[in-house]
């Protein structure tokens, strides 16, 4: 991850400006100056695809569950403004190591180890481990990723305040704890910092909240509007 006073992470690319999790959205996030781009990855047949929901209806012209449909069908759909649902490889090819990537593992059952294979190939082609941050709410799946690619940083995702505070992230060997804005508790922040972890907050779209979280000592935010983070840090 780049050294930055307050990390600007484009959420699903730049979701406030372009259809989420598309190449257009990711490119827009880069153009707006994000330090890192977050996107969601699931398996579809033997492919890794960039889409948030388990179902297709909200973000595409299709129907069904991502894990049940054929990859060819998924690729025939419009994900907004004529965009296709991208593959992980297409995102890597588009970004070409210009910014860091936060790859959120959405589906379980082997998705993480497949992602590890793709990212290790990317390392061989010139990406640096510090340009990736792999995260998941599914901590056992994330643990499998860490076993498969120990050199790539991971972040535990939580939506709430765990009983052991930031302990779960330490157990995973994580570099960061990514928390929901609803639960941006300063005791959790201080516990994480005392354990050497960065703390990034999702999803923050109002400038007042960006400034408040920055002042409180959080390390960065995910935003649908990366331009607002740049303007308020
Ligand atoms: O990774 C941060 C954030 O994206 C987690 O929630 O539902 O937007 O994937 P969600
Ligand atoms: Mg996400």
């Amino acid at each position: 991850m780049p050294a930055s006073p307050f990390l600007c992470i484009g959420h699903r690319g730049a979701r406030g400006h372009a259809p989420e999790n598309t190449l257009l959205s990711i490119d827009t996030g880069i153009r707006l100056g994000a330090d890192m781009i977050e996107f969601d990855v699931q398996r579809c047949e033997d492919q890794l695809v960039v889409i948030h929901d388990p179902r297709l209806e909200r973000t595409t012209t299709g129907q069904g569950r991502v894990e049940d449909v054929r990859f060819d069908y998924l690729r025939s759909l419009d994900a907004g403004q004529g965009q296709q649902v991208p593959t992980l490889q297409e995102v890597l090819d588009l970004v070409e190591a210009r910014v860091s990537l936060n790859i959120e593992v959405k589906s379980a059952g082997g998705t993480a180890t497949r992602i590890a294979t793709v990212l290790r190939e990317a390392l061989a082609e010139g990406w640096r481990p510090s340009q990736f941050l792999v995260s998941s709410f599914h901590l056992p799946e994330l643990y499998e990723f860490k076993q498969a690619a120990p050199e790539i940083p991971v972040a535990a995702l939580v939506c709430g305040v765990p009983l052991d505070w930031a302990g779960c992230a330490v157990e995973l060997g994580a570099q960061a704890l990514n928390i929901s804005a609803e639960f941006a508790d300063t005791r959790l922040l201080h516990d994480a910092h005392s354990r050497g972890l960065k703390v990034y907050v999702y999803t923050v779209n109002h400038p007042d909240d960006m400034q408040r979280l920055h002042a409180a000592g959080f390390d960065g935010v995910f935003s649908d509007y990366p331009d607002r983070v740049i303007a308020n840090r």
Side-chain angles (χ1 to χ4, degrees):
M1 290 167 281
S4 169
F6 191 64
L7 203 69
C8 170
I9 308 168
H11 186 233
R12 307 183 200 170
R15 185 180 179 229
H17 296 282
E20 67 180 52
N21 282 324
T22 60
L23 294 181
L24 177 63
S25 187
I26 289 164
D27 198 49
T28 302
I30 296 171
R31 194 169 44 76
L32 292 173
D35 303 303
M36 176 182 275
I37 298 289
E38 185 262 3
F39 55 93
D40 307 290
V41 174
Q42 301 185 45
R43 256 174 78 180
C44 178
E45 291 195 301
D46 59 348
Q47 301 282 332
L48 293 166
V49 297
V50 179
I51 186 167
H52 179 273
D53 295 3
R55 296 195 63 89
L56 296 166
E57 284 84 349
R58 184 180 62 82
T59 58
T60 76
T61 47
Q63 293 182 332
R65 290 176 61 80
V66 175
E67 68 178 16
D68 293 341
V69 300
R70 302 295 302 267
F71 176 69
D72 287 350
Y73 170 68
L74 178 136
R75 293 285 276 183
S76 74
L77 306 173
D78 188 339
Q81 296 183 29
Q83 295 283 300
Q84 278 182 315
V85 174
T87 63
L88 172 59
Q89 188 60 54
E90 284 174 335
V91 174
L92 294 171
D93 293 344
L94 170 79
V95 175
E96 284 186 316
R98 286 175 292 159
V99 293
S100 301
L101 297 178
N102 176 201
I103 297 153
E104 184 186 338
V105 185
K106 279 291 186 205
S107 57
T111 306
T113 49
R114 283 166 185 257
I115 293 174
T117 301
V118 172
L119 297 189
R120 293 193 101 175
E121 286 167 10
L123 295 182
E125 288 165 11
W127 285 77
R128 287 176 278 110
S130 61
Q131 291 178 299
F132 296 125
L133 182 65
V134 176
S135 63
S136 188
F137 289 107
H138 196 306
L139 301 187
E141 189 76 12
L142 193 58
Y143 180 80
E144 284 184 20
F145 177 86
K146 195 66 185 164
Q147 300 303 112
E151 72 275 42
I152 296 177
V154 302
L157 258 168
V158 295
C159 182
V161 182
L163 187 58
D164 65 346
W165 302 97
C168 62
V170 174
E171 208 174 327
L172 273 162
Q175 291 202 353
L177 182 68
N178 296 353
I179 67 171
S180 166
E182 232 181 311
F183 299 100
D185 184 303
T186 50
R187 187 166 165 198
L188 179 58
L189 170 71
H190 295 139
D191 183 66
H193 277 175
S194 73
R195 299 171 188 263
L197 298 161
K198 300 284 190 191
V199 183
Y200 303 119
V201 185
Y202 66 86
T203 303
V204 183
N205 288 332
H206 198 291
D208 290 351
D209 294 322
M210 293 168 185
Q211 289 168 11
R212 179 178 54 82
L213 292 164
H214 191 184
F218 290 91
D219 297 291
V221 289
F222 298 77
S223 182
D224 298 332
Y225 300 91
D227 44 323
R228 294 184 190 169
V229 183
I230 304 296
N232 285 280
R233 68 178 180 184

